[in-house]
Amino acid sequence: KLGFLKANSTIQAKVIEALNNAEAIKACGIHPVEIFIGMKNFEKGGKPMDPKLKLHLDSKENSEKDKEESTKNPEPPKEIKCPPIMNVLNKALKHSYQNLASTGRRILIGIEISQKMDSVCLTSKNVTCLDAATFLILNLLKSEKDVTVAVFNGSKVSIVSLDKNTTIGQAQTKLKQAKSGMVMFTPLFEWAINKKKQIDIFINFFHHQWFTSIPIDCREQEKSLNMLNTYRKRMSLPHTKLISICLSAPQVPSASLVDGSLNVLDISGFSKEVP
């Protein structure tokens, strides 16, 4: 925006040199998620302005209707076209994968595939929910040996074959091609029990408010802690963990909240702290 990264400028050369330094990237331990969010912010011209701040800066002559529309549809920042920096950011991202550390856990992931997932994440407004979920899944595939990915499909789940070499575009194509439907957690646990699949961590990615879309007569069995405890008992794995990641809302739906139960974590939004 300020012109510091003009072609062949001294500053552009120094930025490229720094971002292309694999040893420095390894030494600082930066996580790929932080670079990914930085790439998205740079590509979109910076972090979007907060809608309330925009209202504050707008002229007082704006009508109340204009203000309401401004809140709903904040003006998007202008996209930045700077191929040299974008290219080196992609290289930096690849270098940062060496910083991923394996936990040695067996992981089963459930992901929502719906139009809602194309909306932006809480706290990272230049990243869509689908991009965030897909990128985190690919990070796990690169660092862990036993990761299974499933798409929520109502009373069933659709298993999707992905590996550590899959690109984010390829992964999203496969995820969207899988049969998908209503977000229901129970089938994921039932699939694992029926397949006698030993799981150390269940991770669920979803937009928000999935619980209210479930038929009333099915809601009781969708209580996350009940499902987790059933799996633990049936599989004799008392320490299996559950992570629920609600990507667009500040609070995970009430059905997921478990009042501080052990080995259960609720995460809202997407930021460099999530990993």
Side-chain angles (χ1 to χ4, degrees), residues 251-263:
Q251 291 183 332
V252 177
S254 58
S256 295
L257 299 178
V258 289
D259 301 325
S261 299
L262 290 176
N263 292 327

Side-chain angles (χ1 to χ4, degrees), residues 5-226:
L5 298 176
K6 290 180 179 178
N8 303 317
S9 67
T10 302
I11 294 181
Q12 188 190 81
K14 288 185 176 294
V15 169
I16 289 175
E17 180 183 2
L19 290 173
N20 205 25
N21 190 330
E23 292 183 1
I25 289 172
K26 182 177 181 179
C28 74
I30 190 170
H31 196 282
V33 162
E34 187 167 357
I35 296 181
F36 180 71
I37 293 172
M39 286 176 60
K40 291 295 185 180
N41 286 339
F42 182 75
E43 187 179 33
K44 297 294 184 181
K47 295 181 180 180
M49 183 181 291
D50 183 277
K52 292 183 179 179
L53 175 59
K54 187 177 185 305
L55 275 177
H56 176 70
L57 298 176
D58 279 345
S59 168
K60 293 182 180 180
E61 295 178 0
N62 285 346
S63 66
E64 290 301 319
K65 182 178 180 180
D66 290 337
K67 289 184 179 181
E68 183 179 347
E69 289 300 316
S70 179
T71 304
K72 291 180 180 178
N73 301 300
E75 183 179 342
K78 295 180 180 179
E79 292 194 7
I80 298 292
K81 303 298 182 184
C82 191
I85 299 298
M86 285 304 299
N87 289 339
V88 78
L89 280 169
N90 274 294
K91 290 181 180 179
L93 181 61
K94 292 179 180 178
H95 292 324
S96 71
Y97 288 138
Q98 64 188 325
N99 296 337
L100 293 172
S102 174
T103 64
R105 303 295 204 279
R106 298 161 294 189
I107 301 171
L108 177 56
I109 297 170
I111 178 173
E112 175 182 358
I113 298 296
S114 68
Q115 289 186 344
K116 292 186 295 184
M117 292 289 280
D118 291 328
S119 61
V120 298
C121 293
L122 176 72
T123 70
S124 293
K125 298 297 186 183
N126 286 326
V127 183
T128 68
C129 296
L130 183 59
D131 282 348
T134 308
F135 190 73
L136 287 170
I137 289 171
L138 293 178
N139 277 218
L140 290 169
L141 287 166
K142 290 180 185 299
S143 60
E144 308 296 341
K145 293 183 178 180
D146 191 345
V147 178
T148 304
V149 181
V151 170
F152 292 117
N153 185 26
S155 60
K156 302 178 181 179
V157 295
S158 302
I159 304 299
V160 179
S161 177
L162 302 173
D163 60 53
K164 64 180 182 180
N165 297 316
T166 307
T167 66
I168 189 168
Q170 292 169 339
Q172 290 183 352
T173 297
K174 287 188 174 183
L175 291 168
K176 290 179 178 179
Q177 287 175 344
K179 291 183 178 180
S180 62
M182 185 185 304
V183 176
M184 295 179 66
F185 292 169
T186 300
L188 195 67
F189 290 88
E190 291 177 342
W191 179 89
I193 291 172
N194 293 335
K195 296 292 183 180
K196 294 183 169 52
K197 183 78 172 173
Q198 294 188 322
I199 301 298
D200 298 309
I201 308 173
F202 287 89
I203 304 177
N204 295 320
F205 292 99
F206 52 94
H207 184 260
H208 79 303
Q209 295 181 348
W210 60 271
F211 191 69
T212 56
S213 64
I214 297 172
I216 295 177
D217 57 345
C218 297
R219 291 183 185 178
E220 185 59 34
Q221 66 188 42
E222 280 294 309
K223 299 291 185 179
S224 298
L225 188 57
N226 294 344

Side-chain angles (χ1 to χ4, degrees), residues 189 193 225-235:
F189 290 88
I193 291 172
L225 188 57
N226 294 344
M227 294 182 288
L228 179 62
N229 285 333
T230 298
Y231 176 84
R232 287 168 172 170
K233 292 176 182 177
R234 295 281 294 275
M235 296 299 295

